[in-house]
Amino acid sequence: VQLQASGGGLVQAGDSLRLSCAASGRTVMSHILGWFRQAPGKADELVSSINPSGRSTYYSDSVKGRFTISRDTRDNTKNTVYLQMNSVKPEDTAVYYCAADPIRSIIYELHTMRGDFRGQGTLVTVSS
């Protein structure tokens, strides 16, 4: 699966921003897609993930209620995953990575996504 993210930039606290990621490949519909972020000096964090149908989602506590993930699956070999970021805060400043995990079993938990495949990051900077 190839991943290409876009949409980062500099915004002010309270603003909105939308990240996009084009996920392509024959097996993209067999992958969980999601977003990780890494701020300077902080650990890698799973922000949000979504299953292949787009009906199940996960959000970290730090973004729940402010961010929304969605997935366009109209093309079976190219999905687009979006992260709508509302009411952003300075602590949301980080490099955001689009990621994909192959589904390895019938039962899986979205919050355990590892980010086996990642695209290049896109920087989000939130000023106070």
Side-chain angles (χ1 to χ4, degrees), residues 72-99:
D72 183 345
T73 61
R74 287 174 291 176
D75 185 335
N76 283 344
T77 63
K78 183 178 178 181
N79 289 183
T80 303
V81 60
Y82 302 97
L83 187 68
Q84 178 66 43
M85 305 167 62
N86 296 333
S87 303
V88 295
K89 304 175 181 179
E91 50 263 44
D92 293 323
T93 295
V95 177
Y96 285 72
Y97 298 91
C98 178

Side-chain angles (χ1 to χ4, degrees), residues 1-4 21-26 28 77 79 98 100 117-119:
V1 176
Q2 289 78 46
L3 303 159
Q4 181 73 38
C21 174
S24 59
R26 291 186 301 108
V28 68
T77 63
N79 289 183
C98 178
F117 301 98
R118 301 196 186 196

Side-chain angles (χ1 to χ4, degrees), residues 37 47 59 63 65-69 83-86 92 96:
R37 69 184 180 186
V47 174
Y59 298 95
V63 307
R66 299 187 297 120
F67 290 10
T68 302
I69 192 170
L83 187 68
Q84 178 66 43
M85 305 167 62
N86 296 333
D92 293 323
Y96 285 72

